[in-house]
């Protein structure tokens, strides 16, 4: 069993645009770009091969991820909202509906986390930074999150083409 989630990884041009956001505020623990992703479905502890089998052969709808218009907070996360992935997330949810322990009640809310607040109150200079980026989604990935001495490492366990 492994801690799994299915996600869209941002393309290099999107990463470049997101990297231009100000990351100077020390009241935020910034997420390194190699960990940026948009979670389509969190699966909790599940068997990677079983999940992969659920998505193998699935027809996943084409999608365009639209990042922006501005940074915001979601709980203690500093996020960039992401639109355009709702149908894709729905298809992933339906295909993985039988994963034991997966959160069935959590609705999809497209976002990419760029930081975590060190305190509960949002610093005003962190939210409201404008951003506009988009990408045609070519693939989705099954990521495994493993703890290590610096936090967590994300490992790509499977990849599926989108829109084909």
């Amino acid at each position: 069993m492994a801690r799994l989630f299915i996600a869209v990884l941002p393309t290099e041009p999107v990463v470049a645009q997101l990297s231009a956001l100000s990351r100077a505020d020390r009241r935020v623990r910034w997420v390194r770009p190699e960990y940026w992703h948009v979670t389509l479905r969190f699966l909790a502890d599940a068997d990677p091969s079983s999940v992969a089998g659920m998505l193998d052969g699935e027809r996943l709808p084409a999608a365009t991820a639209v990042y922006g218009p501005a940074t915001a907070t979601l709980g203690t996360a500093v996020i960039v909202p992401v639109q355009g992935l709702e149908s894709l997330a729905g298809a992933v949810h339906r295909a993985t509906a039988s994963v034991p322990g997966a959160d069935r009640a959590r609705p999809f809310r497209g976002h990419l986390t760029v930081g975590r607040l060190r305190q509960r109150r949002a610093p005003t200079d962190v939210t409201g930074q404008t951003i506009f980026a988009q990408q045609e989604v070519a693939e989705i990935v099954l990521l495994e999150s493993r703890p290590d001495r610096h936090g967590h490492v994300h490992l790509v366990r499977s990849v599926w083409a989108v829109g084909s």
Side-chain angles (χ1 to χ4, degrees):
M1 301 297 261
R3 191 166 180 85
L4 302 175
F5 56 98
I6 298 169
V8 170
L9 301 179
T11 59
E12 287 184 29
V14 171
V15 168
Q17 286 187 318
L18 293 171
S19 294
L21 293 169
S22 173
R23 296 165 59 97
D25 197 310
R26 293 182 181 267
R27 295 170 292 179
V28 176
R29 188 182 74 234
W30 298 103
V31 176
R32 296 191 324 246
E34 59 267 25
Y35 291 102
W36 287 346
H37 64 274
V38 180
T39 301
L40 298 174
R41 179 123 200 254
F42 178 69
L43 299 168
D45 291 322
D47 175 45
S49 60
S50 175
V51 171
M54 292 175 188
L55 282 162
D56 288 346
E58 278 295 312
R59 292 187 55 98
L60 300 168
T64 301
V66 180
Y67 298 78
T71 56
T73 56
L74 180 60
T76 59
V78 178
I79 66 160
V80 173
V82 181
Q83 302 296 317
L85 300 177
E86 295 77 11
S87 293
L88 181 56
V92 166
H93 192 278
R94 286 186 298 279
T96 59
S98 64
V99 173
D103 187 352
R104 293 173 193 357
R106 184 183 298 183
F108 174 71
R109 184 166 180 184
H111 67 280
L112 183 145
T113 301
V114 292
R116 301 245 176 235
L117 300 174
R118 294 183 192 276
Q119 52 192 354
R120 196 78 164 133
R121 196 161 160 233
T124 57
D125 55 341
V126 171
T127 60
Q129 293 185 65
T130 58
I131 180 80
F132 177 79
Q134 69 179 40
Q135 75 183 70
E136 296 301 317
V137 178
E139 63 188 24
I140 62 172
V141 296
L142 176 63
L143 292 175
E144 178 182 345
S145 180
R146 285 190 184 167
D148 79 351
R149 61 188 179 124
H150 300 293
H152 284 83
V153 175
H154 293 165
L155 305 168
V156 174
R157 298 296 303 256
S158 296
V159 179
W160 298 274
V162 169
S164 54

